Amino acid sequence: EKLQKCLWHCLAMIYYLYIFNREGTCIFYQEWHRANGKALRKAPPDDEIRLMYGMLFTMKQLVDKLKPDDNPSTFQSYATKSYRLHFFETPTLMKFALATDPAVPDARGSLRDLHASVYVPYIQSAPFLDTKQPIDADSFKRKVDAFIRKQAFFSSQVRRA
C-alpha cells in the first residue's frame, strides 16, 4: 500500500478542470497537461463543453435511476484507461469536474475545498460579478492554479507508459 501511494503521488497528474453554473454554462476551464505534448488550450471547443456537461448530466441521472434504495446518492467519478473524471456538485448546483490520471483516488474533497477556499471568497462573495458569465479574473485563475499545484496528486512530469 505504501508503494502504491508513492507511485500515484509520484506519477499522477491533473489534466483539466471545468466549472459549470446551475444553468449548465461553462464559467471556468483550465488545463495543466495535454496528451502527446499538445499545447495547452485557454478554452475547449463549444462542442466539447456541451459533451462534458451532457455527460455529467447523464451520469447523474443514471446513478439516480439505478440506485437500489431511496438514500441520496451522487455521481462521484468514473475512470477509463487514460483518465479519471472526479465530480462535485454544490447545494447551489455549481458543478466542478476534474480530470486526472486514473491512479488518483477520490478527489471530491479537493473539489469541495476548491469551492470553499477559492470559488466562494473570490467569485461568489463578489456582488459585482455575474456568475452566469465565464470567469475571466486573472486573480481567480492564479488562485485556482496555485490550489491545484498544491494537491498531493499534482505532478508536472508526464507519465510514460
Side-chain angles (χ1 to χ4, degrees):
E1 182 181 348
K2 199 173 194 180
L3 177 62
Q4 182 181 9
K5 282 184 180 179
C6 176
L7 285 175
W8 75 254
H9 177 77
C10 298
L11 299 175
M13 60 179 42
I14 296 173
Y15 300 120
Y16 55 81
L17 169 72
Y18 280 91
I19 301 176
F20 292 96
N21 66 14
R22 68 181 306 127
E23 289 82 20
T25 301
C26 181
I27 60 170
F28 185 79
Y29 176 84
Q30 188 164 347
E31 288 185 348
W32 286 270
H33 296 98
R34 296 267 300 164
N36 304 324
K38 293 180 181 174
L40 297 179
R41 304 176 298 182
K42 287 189 176 195
D46 287 344
D47 60 334
E48 186 177 313
I49 292 170
R50 285 191 299 275
L51 286 171
M52 177 60 75
Y53 186 79
M55 188 275 310
L56 294 172
F57 181 83
T58 301
M59 291 298 289
K60 280 184 51 185
Q61 295 296 316
L62 180 67
V63 167
D64 192 45
K65 295 287 184 203
L66 297 179
K67 67 183 178 184
D69 53 32
D70 289 336
N71 291 328
S73 71
T74 59
F75 162 57
Q76 297 177 3
S77 72
Y78 75 85
T80 70
K81 190 174 170 181
S82 58
Y83 72 96
R84 177 179 300 272
L85 188 76
H86 308 267
F87 178 71
F88 171 68
E89 185 174 47
T90 70
T92 59
L93 305 179
M94 297 295 297
K95 294 160 187 64
F96 292 72
L98 180 71
T100 68
D101 186 271
V104 173
D106 184 14
R108 283 178 4 115
S110 293
L111 291 174
R112 190 175 305 112
D113 292 346
L114 174 67
H115 173 258
S117 66
V118 178
Y119 181 82
V120 170
Y122 286 89
I123 302 300
Q124 194 169 344
S125 298
F128 57 89
L129 288 176
D130 183 359
T131 57
K132 294 180 181 181
Q133 297 299 317
I135 300 167
D136 198 28
D138 287 336
S139 60
F140 180 73
K141 291 176 186 176
R142 284 191 303 273
K143 290 290 183 184
V144 169
D145 187 64
F147 179 90
I148 292 295
R149 289 177 185 276
K150 288 180 186 174
Q151 299 308 299
F153 46 86
F154 181 85
S155 172
S156 60
Q157 302 298 311
V158 176
R159 189 170 98 165
R160 304 283 181 227

